[in-house]
Amino acid sequence: MFVNIAVNIPADKVFSYSVPAHLAPLIAVGKRALVPFGRKRLSGYIVDCPTELPCDGVKDIVDILDRDPLFGEEDLSFYRWISEYYLYPLGKTIHELTPGGINIVSERWIKGRGLPESEYPAWRNLSLPERQIMEIVSGEPGGVALDRLKKALGRASLDRHVKSLSGMGFIEVEERLKRPGVGLKKEKIVTLNDASESSERRTGKQSRLIAYLKEAGSATMVSLRREFKDVSSVVAALERKGVVCVTETDVYRSAQHLIPEGKGNLIVPNGDQEAALGEIIKGTESNGFSPFLLHGVTGSGKTEVYLRAIARTLDTGGGVIYLVPEISLTPQLISRIGDRFAADRVAVIHSDIPQALRYDQWRRICSGEIRLVVGARSALFAPVQNLKLIIVDEEHDNSYKQEDRLCYHARDLALVKARLLSAAAVLGSATPAVQTFFNAARGKYRYLALPQRVENRPLPDIRIVDMKGEHDEYGEAPVLSRYLKEAIGVTLANKKQTLLFLNRRGFNTYLFCRDCGHVFQCPNCDLALTFHAGQAVLKCHCCDFAEATPSVCPACKCARIGRYGIGTERLAEQVRRCFPAARIERMDSDTMSRRGAYEKIMNALQNGSIDILVGTQMVAKGHDYPGITLVGVVGADMGLNIPDFRAAERTFQILTQVSGRGGRGDTPGSVVIQTFNPDHYAIQRAQHHHYEGFYSDELPQRQALFYPPFSRMINLQISCLRKDRGKAGAERLGRLARELLEQKNLKGRIDIVGPAEAPIPKIKGRYRWHMLLKGANPWSLKDLARAIMAKAGTNDLDIRADVDPVSFM
């Protein structure tokens, strides 16, 4: 018997192994196997069981690591599609999409030969790194993991030095297996035997425990510890006497704390909601691929449509995946899920949930025990059985795109998965992505509209303030306009809540020297460090580098350090000065980093203990704040000038979304948008909640420049530790790309832009270049990109393909 194994390595191929007779009954697609791989042993995924192999001499697998498969044939077909489309090796793709922390890892360990220093005449001739290695290894009789050595010495590679020391006989190098951090949870069960009727003398504790077990039949050790003190020794004594039998069983870790107890609140849907729901239910019951765009204004009740569609699908035996763009949305959503569905039949999956709990939820989903999965983008890959409905809420949101490693887009893959499984996919938004609306307008998706807010509540009135006419006592543009200050004052007087939106965290954008102009930059990235006053540090928001705020300029030693720009931290400080009695909180990635921070803010808003909430784009994403009647947008046009063809689209979306947070309760809402570009069409259309108008303004510009949705793109991201080598390598790849374009007869059908230096030329110590491939046929683009990457042939450059990029920074 043979198996093909996909291993988590950069090579885009599978590897064949033979199966020993004793492991043959355990083989199944979707299980993991431990396999020899060069000098190592690695965990791999069984993806095929061929009856014969074209070559001889294949090695045996070592072991099977799963009792039940992690995924089935349908899931594997999906993973193969992802691997092919996103130009990412299958083994690495499966590793990315399945639960983390469960794989056995092979580690290289370094062990000294056990001889004193005096025994080595050549010790004094060792290089500094070699002496440092020997000093550490000599103090560790059991050996040291190579990764730990690298970390201790601050070096990315020690291979050359380790090889040298091994050749001289100073050290031994061996491979050891590191057990996974996550595994099955075991629980001991104590069962009473017939021997309990024996007349043998027993202690009082033993008699009480036997009486308890006679009543219960059997019990877990966890429950017995709650009932009896020091029960472990009592059970051990009775087990030795044969009175009880102790066995182990697998159990799932409890996830019910993730979903609050429901209140059973039901909302009566209006006519538009009923019509949309009816169409979605037809799609789920059609046994065919049914894609929908649910376009509803903010506050129109899209979530109610989703929940009713979910209930109907579950009632008819189908499975459901419900995606939201960020974990900041899940607490409020999960509360509503708890109102409608049994907590033990719902899985919640996102990055903030411990790996062990995610693994157990995955196993329950795979077994069919759970058929409703809710979460962020990674929830899409859960192996839901009989999947009939996928919901992608706020489908326009860029958080659905993973920007590193496997650069997939969860919204696009939701449609692919629904097509492969003949299911319905609902993309919902008040501000659909231009490409999504384009597809709906051409009939690729069924268009469903919710044009009114629930209970016919009015959309908030939006006022635009031209900041060019605003000046403070120093002649500078103020943080808050006069009109917005007055509006906040009135809102506070009326005991209502205010939301202030600024899409930049930190206190100031950057610090600079007033004498020589030196800007404090990250040493690893070509970015200015952001000043965080609360922590008195400068931080890089790209690589997380941080340093204490300097008192003098490192270039000229001057102490006149200036500050420029504004972030949420400084905005909150300014608001406190203007309204000292107000209760003010911030919601950004700095304040939300602790577990439970989202729920704390949501509860505080709900019970009215926050007067003014200052936040970044987190506050704009689908939250429902009934008490907020005023929304202020500070710096509305910050994103209009970034080098991205979607800049206007994103500005319109964020303004419309954040404006929609106001007026969701009984009191009508109002919005103040501060901008230096009041006449820009994105801002004008946002003022009037006019999506179709924005779409008609934007589409001709996309068509004229051959941008999506009229073309497809792949961005080849090139990086190198050395700028000169990176530049030369990028230029060589550019020439290679154009040669391949000619060879493949694709000239005129694919445009090659660049390579050019990336907008952020250096990140995490690597210099960066982009080369953009643009054409109408995505598979021709991938064919060219694959050929370029295959012929790159250099260790100096790191080349990654970002298919359908959403960011060009």
Side-chain angles (χ1 to χ4, degrees):
M1 184 177 188
F2 304 99
V3 289
N4 287 333
I5 304 286
V7 182
N8 178 29
I9 61 169
D12 192 12
K13 61 180 180 178
V14 298
F15 300 89
S16 299
Y17 291 87
S18 55
V19 180
H22 72 283
L23 293 178
L26 305 177
I27 295 297
V29 168
K31 288 187 177 183
R32 290 171 302 132
L34 186 65
V35 298
F37 198 86
R39 294 179 301 173
K40 298 182 177 181
R41 284 180 286 176
L42 300 178
S43 299
Y45 306 90
I46 300 175
V47 296
D48 191 17
C49 300
T51 55
E52 58 183 35
L53 291 178
C55 59
D56 298 324
V58 296
K59 298 178 180 178
D60 284 350
I61 63 172
V62 177
D63 200 3
I64 295 297
L65 303 178
D66 296 303
R67 187 180 60 193
D68 301 307
L70 286 173
F71 52 84
E73 294 280 4
E74 290 180 339
D75 302 297
L76 179 58
S77 297
F78 186 39
Y79 301 157
R80 288 187 190 277
W81 194 99
I82 294 168
S83 171
E84 174 75 11
Y85 187 83
Y86 287 105
L87 304 176
Y88 205 70
L90 179 61
K92 292 183 74 64
T93 296
I94 299 174
H95 179 77
E96 285 278 340
L97 305 183
T98 50
I102 62 174
N103 285 321
I104 293 174
V105 179
S106 182
E107 291 185 310
R108 292 182 72 189
W109 277 67
I110 313 301
K111 186 176 180 181
R113 297 294 295 273
L115 298 175
E117 182 179 335
S118 59
E119 296 285 333
Y120 297 110
W123 182 283
R124 65 178 65 87
N125 297 322
L126 296 179
S127 66
L128 176 60
E130 290 167 352
R131 287 200 301 273
Q132 290 174 327
I133 291 172
M134 289 306 301
E135 286 169 4
I136 294 174
V137 168
S138 298
E140 299 281 355
V144 183
L146 181 58
D147 285 344
R148 187 177 141 202
L149 268 179
K150 290 177 182 178
K151 189 173 182 180
L153 300 180
R155 289 176 173 266
S157 176
L158 291 172
D159 290 348
R160 178 166 56 89
H161 307 296
V162 167
K163 185 177 181 180
S164 173
L165 289 170
S166 177
M168 290 186 286
F170 280 44
I171 60 172
E172 295 175 350
V173 182
E174 59 185 45
E175 294 292 327
R176 299 183 189 177
L177 292 180
K178 181 181 178 183
R179 290 291 163 184
V182 174
L184 301 178
K185 184 179 180 181
K186 303 285 186 178
E187 193 169 79
K188 289 184 177 180
I189 308 293
V190 181
T191 305
L192 197 61
N193 289 333
D194 291 338
S196 60
E197 300 302 326
S198 166
S199 59
E200 186 177 345
R201 292 182 58 185
R202 305 186 181 101
T203 66
K205 287 182 178 180
Q206 292 174 349
S207 298
R208 286 192 295 273
L209 178 58
I210 290 171
Y212 181 87
L213 290 174
K214 279 183 179 179
E215 182 86 18
S218 63
T220 66
M221 282 297 296
V222 173
S223 63
L224 291 178
R225 288 190 185 100
R226 288 195 295 263
E227 296 290 331
F228 302 95
K229 291 182 179 180
D230 303 321
V231 73
S232 297
S233 59
V234 179
V235 168
L238 291 175
E239 186 182 18
R240 286 194 298 270
K241 296 177 181 180
V243 176
V244 300
C245 174
V246 180
T247 57
E248 268 195 343
T249 186
D250 296 341
V251 294
Y252 293 119
R253 299 163 181 89
S254 175
Q256 292 197 35
H257 65 282
L258 298 175
I259 302 175
E261 186 177 347
K263 301 173 184 176
N265 295 334
L266 287 177
I267 300 170
V268 178
N270 59 31
D272 292 328
Q273 290 171 308
E274 288 278 17
L277 178 62
E279 292 298 318
I280 293 169
I281 289 173
K282 285 180 187 176
T284 61
E285 297 178 354
S286 69
N287 294 320
F289 174 46
S290 303
F292 298 92
L293 168 60
L294 181 60
H295 184 192
V297 299
T298 56
S300 59
K302 293 185 288 296
T303 304
E304 183 62 26
V305 174
Y306 301 150
L307 294 176
R308 287 176 176 268
I310 291 169
R312 178 60 178 265
T313 304
L314 295 176
D315 287 345
T316 54
V320 182
I321 295 175
Y322 184 177
L323 302 182
V324 291
E326 287 190 354
I327 60 173
S328 62
L329 288 181
T330 49
Q332 195 171 44
L333 172 63
I334 293 304
S335 178
R336 296 190 65 177
I337 292 287
D339 287 346
R340 306 290 184 92
F341 307 104
D344 62 347
R345 290 295 179 264
V346 182
V348 181
I349 295 179
H350 54 70
S351 60
D352 207 30
I353 292 175
Q355 284 185 330
L357 189 50
R358 293 181 74 181
Y359 175 48
D360 276 4
Q361 290 194 111
W362 183 280
R363 291 168 55 223
R364 294 179 68 198
I365 295 163
C366 199
S367 71
E369 184 180 338
I370 288 179
R371 290 185 289 116
L372 171 55
V373 176
V374 184
R377 62 182 180 234
S378 60
L380 176 66
F381 308 108
V384 176
Q385 303 301 298
N386 194 30
L387 184 67
K388 290 298 179 184
L389 175 62
I390 304 176
I391 296 166
V392 186
D393 194 21
E394 309 293 342
E395 64 84 26
H396 66 277
D397 198 287
N398 288 339
S399 298
Y400 284 121
K401 173 74 170 181
Q402 179 161 291
E403 295 288 356
D404 58 353
R405 305 187 308 276
L406 172 56
C407 298
Y408 70 85
H409 200 302
R411 176 201 60 212
D412 299 343
L413 288 182
L415 293 163
V416 173
K417 187 167 189 173
R419 188 182 72 241
L420 291 174
L421 298 178
S422 298
V426 180
L427 313 183
S429 178
T431 55
V434 166
Q435 189 156 342
T436 302
F437 197 82
F438 180 84
N439 287 331
R442 278 152 180 74
K444 287 185 69 175
Y445 311 152
R446 180 70 185 273
Y447 181 78
L448 307 174
L450 299 178
Q452 302 293 328
R453 281 189 157 187
V454 294
E455 299 178 353
N456 290 319
R457 291 171 183 155
L459 287 164
D461 177 65
I462 299 178
R463 172 161 179 164
I464 294 177
V465 176
D466 187 353
M467 294 301 287
K468 294 193 295 290
E470 298 282 329
H471 304 284
D472 60 17
E473 61 269 30
Y474 305 106
E476 302 288 336
V479 174
L480 301 177
S481 63
R482 294 185 298 272
Y483 185 85
L484 182 53
K485 278 185 183 178
E486 292 170 4
I488 295 172
V490 170
T491 304
L492 288 170
N494 291 334
K495 307 295 184 184
K496 298 295 182 181
Q497 293 170 316
T498 297
L499 173 64
L500 294 178
F501 168 75
L502 174 66
N503 205 16
R504 179 173 288 159
R505 60 192 171 111
F507 193 84
N508 296 87
T509 305
Y510 62 85
L511 301 188
F512 66 99
C513 175
R514 295 183 184 275
D515 281 6
C516 72
H518 171 80
V519 174
F520 292 83
Q521 286 195 303
C522 175
N524 307 315
C525 313
D526 277 336
L527 288 172
L529 294 167
T530 301
F531 176 50
H532 290 252
Q535 300 164 285
V537 297
L538 293 172
K539 283 185 180 180
C540 175
H541 290 171
C542 228
C543 73
D544 292 330
F545 171 84
E547 66 179 10
T549 305
S551 56
V552 297
C553 170
C556 70
K557 308 306 179 187
C558 169
R560 292 188 346 115
I561 306 299
R563 302 172 181 175
Y564 183 80
I566 182 171
T568 48
E569 189 179 358
R570 185 180 169 201
L571 175 58
E573 185 61 35
Q574 292 269 357
V575 174
R576 284 190 184 92
R577 292 178 187 175
C578 295
F579 305 99
R583 297 166 296 176
I584 300 166
E585 294 290 344
R586 275 170 44 221
M587 188 175 184
D588 55 32
S589 55
D590 292 327
T591 59
M592 296 293 104
S593 58
R594 291 184 180 179
R595 187 168 293 174
Y598 297 110
E599 293 91 333
K600 185 178 179 181
I601 286 285
M602 294 296 109
N603 291 336
L605 278 171
Q606 198 74 32
N607 63 34
S609 58
I610 294 177
D611 296 318
I612 302 172
L613 178 64
V614 176
T616 57
Q617 59 181 344
M618 285 184 179
V619 303
K621 297 184 177 182
H623 296 290
D624 194 6
Y625 312 114
I628 290 177
T629 59
L630 173 65
V631 174
V633 180
V634 180
D637 35 21
M638 275 184 178
L640 280 175
N641 298 314
I642 62 173
D644 192 325
F645 72 91
R646 294 188 181 93
E649 177 183 3
R650 288 172 181 160
T651 297
F652 171 81
Q653 287 169 340
I654 199 71
L655 292 180
T656 303
Q657 291 286 340
V658 76
S659 297
R661 299 314 106 200
R664 288 179 169 239
D666 298 329
T667 305
S670 60
V671 181
V672 179
I673 296 178
Q674 298 183 167
T675 176
F676 289 94
N677 296 278
D679 298 324
H680 194 284
Y681 66 90
I683 293 174
Q684 286 289 318
R685 296 300 190 181
Q687 181 182 19
H688 299 100
H689 311 277
H690 195 350
Y691 177 86
E692 289 79 1
F694 167 77
Y695 179 78
S696 65
D697 291 336
E698 179 74 6
L699 202 65
Q701 300 186 54
R702 301 276 185 96
Q703 189 169 19
L705 296 169
F706 195 46
Y707 280 132
F710 300 98
S711 69
R712 305 294 283 273
M713 297 188 300
I714 296 177
N715 188 21
L716 292 181
Q717 302 170 343
I718 306 160
S719 68
C720 187
L721 288 169
R722 289 181 53 176
K723 188 173 184 179
D724 54 347
R725 288 189 180 181
K727 183 179 180 182
E731 290 172 350
R732 181 178 58 80
L733 281 180
R735 292 190 296 271
L736 172 64
R738 288 168 174 84
E739 289 171 6
L740 289 168
L741 195 68
E742 294 274 4
Q743 293 173 15
K744 292 177 175 292
N745 198 27
L746 293 171
K747 196 169 184 180
R749 290 188 285 163
I750 292 179
D751 295 334
I752 299 176
V753 182
E757 197 172 56
I760 304 176
K762 182 183 176 187
I763 291 181
K764 298 181 180 178
R766 299 189 70 89
Y767 296 91
R768 309 167 66 242
W769 293 262
H770 289 171
M771 182 162 59
L772 188 67
L773 312 181
K774 185 166 61 169
N777 187 315
W779 298 105
S780 294
L781 282 173
K782 278 188 280 295
D783 181 48
L784 177 60
R786 191 179 288 108
I788 294 169
M789 295 171 72
K791 292 191 175 183
T794 175
N795 292 326
D796 290 337
L797 299 184
D798 180 59
I799 307 166
R800 300 184 183 184
D802 185 0
V803 180
D804 302 328
V806 300
S807 173
F808 297 88
M809 300 305 288

